[in-house]
Amino acid sequence: MELGQIQAYAYFFFTAFLVVSLYAYIFHLYRAEKKGTRNYEKYGNLALNDEVSTNPIETVGGAREPLKK
Amino acid sequence: MGGNQTPLAYDYTVARLFLYATILFGIIGMTIGVFIAFQMAFPELNYLFGEYGTFSRLRPIHTNGVAFGFTVSGIFATWYYVGQRVLKVSMAESPFLMVVGKLHFAVYILTILLAVVTLFAGITTSKEYAELEWPLDLLVVVFWVLWGVSIFGLIGIRRERTLYISIWYYIATFLAVAMLFLFNNMAVPTALVSGHGDWYHSVSWYAGTNDALVQWWYGHNAVAFVFTTPIVAMIYYFLPKESGQAVYSYKLSLLSFWGLMFVYLWAGGHHLIYSTVPDWMQTMGSVFSIVLILPSWGSAINMLLTMKGEWNQLQSNPLIKFMVLGSTFYMLSTLEGPIQAIKSVNALAHFTDWIPGHVHDGTLGWVGFMIIASMYHMTPRLFKRELYSKSLMETQFWLQTIGIVLYFSSMWIAGITQGMMWRATDEFGNLSYSFIDTVVVLHPYYTVRAIGGLLYLTGIFIWAYNIYKTITDGRKLEDKELNVNRSPMSAN
Amino acid sequence: MFHWLEERPFFFAVGVFTVVSFAGLIEILPNFAEASRPTVGTKPYSTLELAGRHVYIADSCNACHSQLIRPFKSETDRYGMYSLSGEYAYDRPFLWGSKRAGPDLHRVGAYRTTDWHENHMWEPVSVVPGSIMPAYKHMFSNQADIETAYAEAVTVNKVFNVPYNTNITMRDGSTANVKLPATYDEAKADVLAEAKIIASGMKNQDVKDAVERGEIPQIVALIAYLNSLK
């Protein structure tokens, strides 16, 4: 197989893989939200509640205490 | 944190330094830009500063000044502001990151000042947006690595588990620019090999067509990762914050982020259509440029929908004006770019003034407006002062908007006129115009463009003045007055 | 397991890097060997021509002039045969430009003369009325940097095997051999001999005197370079 062919196959399959992964990810996000298992839109509030005195939405596991008001 | 006496606060020392740099380089870069725009209309202006004042010597200083001076300082300033806030961690908590931040600023300023001096002296590699010679490239690597340490260092000590959308875009900017910059600037210093000549001179690792390919893979994606992703990072933070509206859809932001990451890099080939690079790459560049509309508009529409139900703010808050018009210009230029990448359109548009026209409705309308708005938003928080004048902001907004419209409309006409004249033939199939005919005809458009640029520059001076007056004379604010979304501004 | 990446900065960064570097891996890397083969009749630049190329770059002539003729009749009528990839085999860096405020120069050596360039660089409107190009009078008094040009020739010869001191077949079947002396002093003598030929076609007395004294004004090197573009 020539280099050009390898390139073409690699390109095709990797692109297909990425497209499928991306849409699977998005599909999963929407489904999880519809079923009520997760709420992703709450992360949009990260920009609004950004004073250092406000509590994080989720803290980094264990290492730190959340800040108290 | 237990036992701490004073309450923890964000530390904006480094953000303030980069804010000053943004304003300084904005003034320098755009003043030179307006000057060279007038030179194209009135060539006598080439002779004011001897060999250092010609259009050709000044043009790289303009492009480097606005891209790597104004824009990159703006990116760093917002990083040292937004980064702390959405990760909920203060730089005051880490003396190490504080030193890194200050060092980052020092190396950066040194590099840009040396860049200005060497470009005036005509020391350049000639590759667009990569003109700096290898010693300066090494300095760029140093400050870029320091920025990376700051990003990942701050992330490492964060309190908020999830990385906010803006952080994704800063990470992407850091990684992609690092990769592109390293590959494109590969060069062999000639004095090291031969023992002769200037020590700072180097020769490109790549030759001819390959060099062109690498250069435009870099050049196009410098646009992607300096003029797009970090500016998207800004709008995802500053527009929701200033308007008090959470981003319309977090999920849409995810989709457009990964889409943009994948597609953007392929589009570089559209700079080389009908050149000597392999045909399939030109086609690939063309096709992916069209696909690129989707993720670009995904972000822009997400921003406009964030304003849903709050459009009254567009009238009452000049910062919202800047940002909404900014994202509108983003939509305009991400539609215009793909149109120019269609092969038959490119045949007409390439090498004409339509290209600088396209670049400027993106940079002036989108990049410029977002940086202006971001700095306005940050200033009250950085200095605990109320913004000095709302009416000056309104004046600035309208002056600059008119400036941009004059700029791109004149360049559209100039570009298409010139493209048509180059290919026009008479009834016998001979060329109708000599090259100089196609230059002389552009004089009125060059004049209008220069005036448009001058209006925009006037706005930049108003912006600098307004921020200066805020810092020195603005009403002092209590901490609780700053605990709001909308930026405090004086009514007059 | 989803919402995984946005909480893990390391894997997030790896993901971004994979996706952005993919285009480069597929598009850029594998085509290098093929595109860099010179066409018949393409020879390396002489030291004087390289010095002229450095002048061209220092004053960013490429900001306004392209060196890429596209395959359209309107371009080949105006500028000559369209450009071929192999013609750029020794161009480091490439100088295609991205904007034509002035005409293309890829084959300017085929239809302009030393005399024309001299007048044009001194006062563009004297030969092209209406021109917006600045005059470059400083090139008539500033000296070209021959030593750096020599350093570059030696470097590309050593590092990239650019064929100096090698017989190269030209399009008409003749052979050319671009000399690259082993020492800088020999190179200087060669450059001066080449410069004298250019200067003999010029009128400016100061430039002629300078070349007689053994100096190489920038304009002489630049014209040598422009004449080599065919």
Side-chain angles (χ1 to χ4, degrees), chain B residues 122-133:
Chain B
I123 298 168
T124 163
T125 66
S126 91
K127 290 170 108 176
E128 277 183 82
Y129 324 118
E131 282 93 348
L132 306 182
E133 270 292 0

Side-chain angles (χ1 to χ4, degrees), chain B residues 220 264 267 270 273 285-294 296-297 330-343 345-346 358:
Chain B
H220 174 73
Y264 223 129
H270 69 215
I273 292 175
S286 193
V287 169
F288 271 98
S289 301
I290 308 286
V291 179
L292 195 52
I293 297 174
L294 288 172
S296 306
W297 280 46
Y330 180 53
M331 291 177 80
L332 171 71
S333 51
T334 51
L335 181 65
E336 187 186 20
I339 290 174
Q340 292 178 331
I342 298 169
K343 278 193 170 182
V345 180
N346 192 273
H358 164 64

Side-chain angles (χ1 to χ4, degrees), chain B residues 48-100:
Chain B
L48 298 179
F49 309 101
E51 70 173 283
Y52 305 104
T54 58
F55 175 90
S56 57
R57 206 53 90 76
L58 293 176
R59 196 242 180 200
I61 304 176
H62 164 61
T63 54
N64 278 278
V66 290
F68 303 122
F70 171 69
T71 309
V72 170
S73 316
I75 295 165
F76 291 153
T78 60
W79 160 255
Y80 283 103
Y81 178 86
V82 176
Q84 296 183 66
R85 295 187 72 102
V86 299
L87 297 169
K88 288 216 175 83
V89 57
S90 169
M91 284 182 70
E93 294 177 76
S94 168
F96 169 71
L97 289 178
M98 201 61 172
V99 171
V100 168

